[in-house]
């Protein structure tokens, strides 16, 4: 995907520097942090942050540490999401999950440490505030996701879960990028709206892929939402209608960019959120 790989390389190199060296004590903690953070993710959230900074007129390097902080929060949330007490998954980003490789106790610690690292490298109070606010939403969404397992799906709860567990951090990534690029409040609002729609499209596509793709293709478990009776878009709307709703979100994301300059990359990624195969 154009642009995504360029930004991913930048972010990977910076994360490598920001993470504690593997042989610093306690080395198993740092190995586990590096193992999960440096695994081959798409880096969509950091890319959105860097590109939003560029669209605001700033050099993307201004937002690089914030982009890494966002990815560290995301990786932390995935490590905990995969734990036996939560989704109990064995595969993530094409490799054994953190707890499968290092044990549950170290995986919990590695997650906690990545969360702390994220805040310790956040460049400004405002970035920390955005990140903390989105993190709270993640916890609320994940809690509702757990509580809803096995219950009758309904659109209100579904929206509550998706808005918080996924959309909040994606929208915050865009808002943080604009802020660090020196953009106006108006541009923050426009790209936050874009992020809200891309984020929802992304999570609906994730739900659909869990239902339709293979674990080999995804690099993480497939069919697990149905097995665990998760409250997902396909569970309530079916696969076809979920795809249509995701496409509608993409259209709204693109509409939020109306009248702005230099947004071709953001438009492309909005489409990528639902056309991706993993
Ligand atoms: C993956 O969803 C999980 C999330 C997007 C969020 C998980 C959030 C937490 C564990 C709370 C984190 C705590 C703080 C303080 C930020 P999924 O299970 O639908 O996707 P998957 O198939 O990739 O696992
Ligand atoms: Mg999960």
């Amino acid at each position: 995907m154009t642009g995504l790989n360029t930004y991913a390389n930048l972010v990977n190199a910076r994360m490598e520097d920001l993470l504690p060296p593997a042989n610093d004590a306690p080395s198993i903690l740092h190995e586990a942090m590096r193992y999960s953070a440096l695994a081959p993710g798409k880096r969509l959230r950091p890319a959105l942050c860097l590109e939003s900074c560029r669209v605001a007129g700033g050099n993307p390097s201004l937002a690089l540490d914030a982009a890494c902080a966002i990815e560290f929060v995301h990786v932390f949330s995935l490590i905990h999401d995969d734990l036996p007490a939560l989704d109990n998954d064995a595969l993530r980003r094409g490799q054994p999950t953190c707890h499968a490789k290092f044990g549950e106790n170290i995986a919990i610690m590695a997650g906690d440490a990545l969360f702390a690292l994220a805040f310790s490298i956040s460049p400004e109070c405002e970035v920390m505030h955005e990140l903390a606010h989105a993190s709270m939403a993640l916890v609320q969404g994940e809690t509702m996701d757990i509580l809803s397992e096995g219950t009758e799906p309904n659109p209100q709860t579904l929206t509550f879960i998706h808005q918080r567990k996924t959309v909040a951090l994606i929208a915050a990534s865009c808002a943080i990028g604009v802020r660090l690029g020196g953009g106006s409040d108006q541009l923050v609002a426009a790209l936050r709206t874009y992020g809200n729609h891309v984020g929802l499209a992304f999570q609906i596509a994730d739900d659909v892929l869990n239902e339709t793709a293979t674990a080999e293709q995804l690099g993480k478990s497939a069919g697990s939402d149905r097995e665990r009776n998760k409250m997902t878009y396909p569970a309530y709307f079916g696969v076809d209608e979920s795809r249509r709703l995701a496409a509608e979100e993409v259209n709204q994301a693109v509409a939020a960019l109306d009248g702005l300059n230099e947004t071709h990359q953001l438009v492309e990624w909005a489409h990528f959120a639902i056309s991706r195969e993993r």
Side-chain angles (χ1 to χ4, degrees), residues 41-240:
K42 290 181 280 295
R43 314 296 186 216
L44 179 68
R45 291 160 186 80
L48 285 170
C49 177
L50 296 174
E51 183 64 7
S52 299
C53 176
R54 199 189 65 77
V55 168
N59 187 312
S61 62
L62 291 171
L64 188 54
D65 284 5
C68 292
I70 291 164
E71 186 65 11
F72 288 144
V73 170
H74 177 54
V75 172
F76 150 56
S77 77
L78 296 179
I79 292 175
H80 282 205
D81 177 69
D82 289 333
L83 287 168
L86 287 96
D87 284 354
N88 193 21
D89 275 317
L91 192 66
R92 170 72 66 186
R93 293 180 167 172
Q95 62 183 28
T97 45
C98 195
H99 69 269
K101 171 107 178 151
F102 295 94
E104 240 180 284
N105 50 4
I106 299 301
I108 292 169
M109 293 299 110
D112 291 348
L114 285 168
F115 195 46
L117 178 60
F119 284 91
S120 76
I121 61 166
S122 290
E124 284 178 20
C125 258
E126 209 181 341
V127 174
M128 281 198 206
H129 180 260
E130 276 281 351
L131 212 48
H133 195 76
S135 298
M136 184 68 188
L138 252 74
V139 182
Q140 292 164 335
E142 183 78 345
T143 304
M144 193 63 97
D145 178 296
I146 297 164
L147 295 176
S148 303
E149 274 184 25
T151 68
E152 193 60 39
N154 68 80
Q156 291 75 24
T157 311
L158 202 44
T159 308
F160 185 102
I161 294 171
H162 284 40
Q163 290 297 344
R164 288 165 180 79
K165 83 169 181 182
T166 307
V167 173
L169 189 57
I170 290 183
S173 305
C174 299
I176 288 170
V178 175
R179 285 270 179 245
L180 293 173
S184 64
D185 287 351
Q186 209 182 352
L187 188 61
V188 171
L191 292 204
R192 201 191 289 280
T193 303
Y194 162 87
N196 279 326
H197 291 293
V198 169
L200 186 52
F202 186 88
Q203 185 57 48
I204 298 173
D206 216 68
D207 290 356
V208 168
L209 285 168
N210 190 283
E211 178 75 12
T212 59
T214 62
E216 204 174 43
Q217 181 186 328
L218 297 178
K220 62 182 184 181
S221 69
S224 49
D225 290 345
R226 178 183 283 273
E227 266 164 41
R228 294 183 68 96
N229 252 303
K230 287 279 193 185
M231 197 178 294
T232 64
Y233 265 65
Y236 183 76
F237 293 103
V239 165
D240 290 348

Side-chain angles (χ1 to χ4, degrees), residues 20-30:
N23 45 14
D24 276 10
S27 60
I28 191 167
L29 172 70
H30 303 139

